[in-house]
Amino acid sequence: MTAQLPVPTWLVGCGNMTGAIVDGWRSAGIDLSSAVVVRPSGTPVQGVRTVTNYAQSGNPPAMVLLGFKPQKLDEIAPGLARWVTSKTVVVSILAGVEADSLRDRFPNARAIVRAMPNLPVAIRRGVVGLYSADADESLRGQLGELFTTLGFGMWMADEARLSALGSVAGAGPAYVARFIAALAKAGEDRGLSAEIAQTIAQETVLGTAWLASTTRESMGDIARRVASPNGTTEAGLAVLDHDQVLDQLIGLAIEAAARRGAELAGEARQLADAPRLP
Ligand SMILES: NC(=O)c1ccc[n+]([C@@H]2O[C@H](COP(=O)([O-])OP(=O)(O)OC[C@H]3O[C@@H](n4cnc5c(N)ncnc54)[C@H](OP(=O)(O)O)[C@@H]3O)[C@@H](O)[C@H]2O)c1
């Protein structure tokens, strides 16, 4: 079975992340002809009909992909919920917003699914975690196929594990980008041009990840193969390994992100608990 978008699919918001997902689907040959982007700016998206309000979107959606910022949820949900029927699957990429909070906003939905993608989905080398408490097997199969066209995809057993995946993979490209920039800066400090330093830093990270992925070698083994005893790399590794300074630094960054995720989840929960106007 080829992966297909449910017909019709509404993409509500199409900025960095949903734009990257659409790029990935387009290059995977997914048929986007029945999809509609709904966004206030009306900024066109290549190959996808773009409108500025739900009334222009056509038939009620079989799937809605929520692609706006978590802070916008309570501005957007009441208007959108009117179009969400018992045939609509709501897929949310909103970081930190839990399935129960989404169910509260979209009580009629056939299923609530959380997806946690990362930016390389645009070139189909992404990571996508999926979670749902109420999707049936056939829907899980359909969505699994759709999202694995974007790279490595997996269903997570619970939301804690989805958050863990998000803190490593969702945010990861930002951390890796900083690491590549730091490696490039060190190259520049040692006399390389900015352009060459950037290229070799990114090719080094890409090549190392590719090597690990194709040979299944552990990172420890790869490091050992580069660092001969008492050699230059070993001297460098001794700095990174001293008091596990690199592990600690990354651990602190991930903890800070997780704290912010918990705050966003708490805000979404509180708003869900607030009394509603009829
Ligand atoms: N960026 C990442 O790497 C990443 C990774 C995992 C998850 N996420 C999640 O992805 C979501 C989007 O992040 P982003 O980085 O893509 O944000 P973004 O680039 O700022 O895009 C936000 C989108 O929301 C749209 N929007 C704003 N108000 C709206 C409304 N009233 N109705 C419909 N659409 C509306 C905007 O439309 P206009 O363009 O028309 O203004 C824009 O397309 C967030 O919830 C984030 O947690 C992001």
Side-chain angles (χ1 to χ4, degrees), residues 141-214:
Q142 187 185 7
L143 292 179
E145 289 217 19
L146 192 56
F147 282 99
T148 47
T149 61
L150 301 174
F152 176 81
M154 67 182 293
W155 283 95
M156 310 305 288
D158 52 51
E159 289 190 283
R161 274 173 257 215
L162 184 77
S163 301
L165 177 141
S167 52
V168 175
Y175 307 144
V176 174
R178 281 283 201 275
F179 179 76
I180 293 174
L183 211 51
K185 182 174 180 308
E188 266 189 78
D189 291 347
R190 302 201 64 77
L192 297 174
S193 73
E195 197 187 345
I196 296 288
Q198 162 75 26
T199 302
I200 63 170
Q202 81 194 27
E203 289 302 315
T204 300
V205 170
L206 182 62
T208 309
W210 206 326
L211 181 73
S213 171
T214 50

Side-chain angles (χ1 to χ4, degrees), residues 12-17 39-41 67-70 76 93-95 116-117:
V12 180
C14 194
N16 282 312
M17 198 58 231
R39 67 193 302 184
S41 67
F68 43 80
K69 295 283 188 196
I76 294 172
I93 62 168
L94 276 54
M116 190 42 60

Side-chain angles (χ1 to χ4, degrees), residues 12-277:
V12 180
C14 194
N16 282 312
M17 198 58 231
T18 309
I21 292 173
V22 169
D23 287 345
W25 280 338
R26 190 186 302 107
S27 69
I30 304 283
D31 180 6
L32 297 170
S33 60
S34 71
V36 184
V37 165
V38 191
R39 67 193 302 184
S41 67
T43 308
V45 177
Q46 189 203 327
V48 187
R49 190 161 72 89
T50 304
V51 299
T52 53
N53 63 62
Y54 308 121
Q56 298 169 325
S57 302
N59 291 333
M63 179 167 95
V64 173
L65 182 69
L66 308 182
F68 43 80
K69 295 283 188 196
Q71 294 85 345
K72 289 262 175 183
L73 179 61
D74 278 294
E75 182 187 320
I76 294 172
L80 178 58
R82 284 187 235 126
W83 300 87
V84 170
T85 73
S86 59
K87 294 192 173 126
T88 311
V89 178
V90 173
V91 178
S92 161
I93 62 168
L94 276 54
V97 178
E98 292 159 336
D100 280 352
S101 299
L102 293 162
R103 172 56 75 188
D104 193 71
R105 267 72 169 193
F106 302 103
N108 299 333
R110 169 183 165 197
I112 300 285
V113 178
R114 290 186 61 194
M116 190 42 60
N118 69 3
L119 215 47
V121 293
I123 51 151
R124 305 184 59 207
R125 291 309 311 245
V127 171
V128 185
L130 294 167
Y131 169 79
S132 178
D134 46 25
D136 61 26
E137 275 313 305
S138 116
L139 180 59
R140 289 168 81 90
Q142 187 185 7
L143 292 179
E145 289 217 19
L146 192 56
F147 282 99
T148 47
T149 61
L150 301 174
F152 176 81
M154 67 182 293
W155 283 95
M156 310 305 288
D158 52 51
E159 289 190 283
R161 274 173 257 215
L162 184 77
S163 301
L165 177 141
S167 52
V168 175
Y175 307 144
V176 174
R178 281 283 201 275
F179 179 76
I180 293 174
L183 211 51
K185 182 174 180 308
E188 266 189 78
D189 291 347
R190 302 201 64 77
L192 297 174
S193 73
E195 197 187 345
I196 296 288
Q198 162 75 26
T199 302
I200 63 170
Q202 81 194 27
E203 289 302 315
T204 300
V205 170
L206 182 62
T208 309
W210 206 326
L211 181 73
S213 171
T214 50
T215 63
R216 309 258 162 216
E217 264 182 289
S218 72
M219 294 304 154
D221 283 344
I222 290 179
R224 259 188 299 281
R225 283 217 282 144
V226 181
S228 37
N230 242 341
T232 53
T233 309
E234 199 173 76
L237 283 179
V239 175
L240 292 182
D241 295 346
H242 182 69
D243 286 342
Q244 296 172 315
V245 66
L246 185 60
D247 287 358
Q248 291 206 37
L249 188 63
I250 299 293
L252 284 173
I254 299 242
E255 251 177 67
R259 264 199 307 280
R260 181 65 190 129
E263 276 170 22
L264 287 171
E267 283 165 22
R269 245 181 264 132
Q270 271 174 19
L271 287 164
D273 292 344
R276 288 292 166 74
L277 294 173

